[in-house]
Amino acid sequence: MGLLFTVCVFCYFTLVAGGMSDGMPYVRPPSNSSKIGLLISAAKRSSTDPDQIHVSLAGPGYMKVSWMTADKNVPSTVQYGIQSGKLLQTASGVSTSYRFITYQSGQMHHVKIGPLQDSTTYFYRCGGYGPEYNFTTPPPSGPSEPVKFAVVGDLGQTDWTMSTLGHVAAYDYDVLLFAGDLSYADYIQSRWDTFGQMMSPYANYKPWMVTEGNHEKESLPLLVESFLAYNTRWEMPYKESGSNSNLYYSFEVAGVHVLMLGSYTDFDTESEQYKWLQVDLAKVNRAKTPWLIAMLHAPWYNSNTAHQGEDESEDMMAAMETLLYQNNVDLLFAGHVHAYERNLRVYKKKLDECGIVHITIGDGGNREGLATDWKSTQPAWSAKRESSFGFGQLNVVNGTHALWSWHRNQDVEAVMADEVWMTNLNAKPECARKA
Ligand SMILES: *[C@@H]1O[C@H](CO)[C@@H](O)[C@H](O)[C@H]1NC(C)=O
Ligand SMILES: *[C@@H]1O[C@H](CO)[C@@H](O)[C@H](O)[C@H]1NC(C)=O
Ligand SMILES: *[C@@H]1O[C@H](CO)[C@@H](O)[C@H](O)[C@H]1NC(C)=O
Ligand SMILES: [Fe+2]
């Protein structure tokens, strides 16, 4: 009986958790930076003090402040103002918590504040407790307004992650785009807390916009709903963008419309996500947002041997590539493969001057290490590929030009290892919108 029980429990976890370990030949180079210890000590705070703070964009003119408290009675209010020490305005929001088998989370607060001025630093305090923080709002909307994005994927929480975050922080970006696989909690919920503490010093003053990866799913059929921790902790502006799921949404900043797509929820042509995407794309006005970029987790163009042939890549590409192509999407970022790969404009596996530039940036630094094994023949669409930890900078200079660069972590300093100018498709008459 005892043996049968053990075997059943084993089977259950093997079945549901099978997707969590990728079974790939990951190699993790040694690192000599170790700041994780500092984070854990920072976690010793009073039960009312804000913990794991992050901010995000929440519709035109609004931002959301999210944080956790151990104390359930802390009000979900944010006091804020443009002068330090004079937090004269107050906004209220909501808080929730969740249970994951035996783990009980703290109270997660989400407060939307605004309307706010563009490109302005606001000072804020969470729930009436703890120190004053600040964040800076993004640049104004406008077709030729410049904006800088930091682009990361598959961060996890290792010393390599810390190295990536240090390099990201040294870049004067406006908004961070995160292609999924955040904490690598993998069912161990306290890891979501340590991840939240780790990223808070970086995400409490610049908006972080995320989409989900396979490690966010944490599915335990019949016991816990999928994406419970992720959806509770990382609430993105899906309602503001007409989506009914936190797993896909869109937002606009400066002259850029960003589609945050979901690789781990339905994406077929009959799905809610696909229907939402059609409606969202129809609303895009390229005269207002000449740039159209997409982000998702599982790459469609990938010449690494890791993660080949997965449904989330192939079936999603089969369902959505033409729709994105017809709408002249300029760039598509993905994560999942723990390496860097930049592709040329491509459509249906063929070079196409009106196609999408696909970039895999799954090299944030998680504990699974790097995917070092590439297909021996580099496909014609693959322009640059390297297995190193790092992050990207997308510097949108104006309505037609953007400078993309990839910075590797190999060294104490970030080293730029790939750089290319991009011109947007909307500006090319031969690529006139086909939808
Ligand atoms: C880490 O290693 C590099 C290369 O070996 C060295 O130059 C650097 O000083 C080391 N950094 C620390 C913090 O020990
Ligand atoms: C805003 O917060 C960041 C991060 O904590 C800090 O480095 C910066 O000095 C603050 N800015 C102002 C104007 O206080
Ligand atoms: C946009 O930026 C590029 C690169 O700096 C520049 O060559 C181009 O003239 C700019 N276009 C406009 C309309 O300012
Ligand atoms: Fe992944």
Side-chain angles (χ1 to χ4, degrees), residues 144 396-403 421-423:
S144 49
V396 177
V397 172
N398 58 31
T400 54
H401 286 70
L403 184 61
W421 278 98
M422 313 235 167
T423 50

Side-chain angles (χ1 to χ4, degrees), residues 6-288:
T6 309
V7 168
C8 286
V9 168
F10 178 79
C11 287
Y12 181 84
F13 280 98
T14 307
L15 282 173
V16 300
M20 116 196 177
S21 135
D22 302 302
M24 293 298 166
Y26 284 123
V27 178
R28 186 161 135 66
S31 159
N32 62 359
S33 80
S34 77
K35 295 181 190 150
I36 301 285
L38 296 175
L39 302 164
I40 305 305
S41 60
K44 290 184 191 123
R45 56 174 58 76
S46 105
S47 65
T48 51
D49 278 354
D51 186 21
Q52 307 176 43
I53 304 170
H54 63 93
V55 300
S56 50
L57 303 177
Y62 285 79
M63 287 190 49
K64 185 180 285 173
V65 178
S66 303
W67 77 98
M68 192 165 261
T69 53
D71 188 320
K72 291 204 177 316
N73 299 316
V74 170
S76 300
T77 54
V78 169
Q79 297 155 277
Y80 65 101
I82 53 173
Q83 251 186 298
S84 175
K86 287 206 176 135
L87 312 182
L88 301 178
Q89 283 165 288
T90 301
S92 298
V94 294
S95 75
T96 53
S97 65
Y98 70 94
R99 204 171 169 79
F100 198 101
I101 316 285
T102 57
Y103 169 93
Q104 175 60 51
S105 80
Q107 202 71 13
M108 192 74 206
H109 305 262
H110 297 288
V111 179
K112 200 169 144 172
I113 71 182
L116 303 170
Q117 295 163 34
D118 303 316
S119 300
T120 303
T121 297
Y122 284 84
F123 298 85
Y124 69 95
R125 199 158 173 247
C126 300
Y129 295 96
E132 181 189 279
Y133 296 93
N134 74 77
F135 63 70
T136 303
T137 55
S141 57
S144 49
E145 287 295 333
V147 59
K148 290 180 188 164
F149 296 98
V151 185
V152 300
D154 305 68
L155 275 182
Q157 40 190 317
T158 69
D159 38 12
W160 279 110
T161 314
M162 294 309 297
S163 165
T164 303
L165 288 178
H167 296 162
V168 167
Y171 174 46
D172 182 27
Y173 69 93
D174 298 297
V175 177
L176 181 136
L177 304 176
F178 194 154
D181 279 1
L182 281 63
S183 71
Y184 286 73
D186 296 334
Y187 302 86
I188 314 290
Q189 295 303 298
S190 58
R191 290 185 190 152
W192 277 108
D193 294 317
T194 51
F195 176 77
Q197 286 156 3
M198 180 199 75
M199 57 77 213
S200 179
Y202 305 94
N204 70 22
Y205 71 109
K206 296 268 179 85
W208 276 37
M209 307 306 287
V210 305
T211 191
E212 85 280 8
N214 49 311
H215 287 269
E216 274 66 70
K217 195 168 182 183
E218 300 185 304
S219 152
L220 287 178
L222 309 178
L223 297 177
V224 180
E225 69 184 84
S226 297
F227 300 105
L228 179 61
Y230 174 74
N231 284 337
T232 306
R233 294 164 185 268
W234 291 85
E235 190 182 88
M236 290 292 122
Y238 68 96
K239 288 178 190 150
E240 291 82 348
S241 52
S243 157
N244 61 13
S245 166
N246 191 42
L247 302 178
Y248 48 86
Y249 63 96
S250 69
F251 65 94
E252 290 188 346
V253 55
V256 189
H257 187 95
V258 183
L259 304 163
M260 296 295 263
L261 303 178
S263 303
Y264 297 91
T265 182
D266 292 345
F267 43 65
D268 59 90
T269 53
E270 298 304 310
S271 65
E272 291 285 308
Q273 175 172 207
Y274 191 91
K275 287 174 191 157
W276 164 82
L277 179 59
Q278 284 179 309
V279 171
D280 194 72
L281 285 168
K283 285 193 287 203
V284 174
N285 176 357
R286 298 299 277 266
K288 199 170 142 256

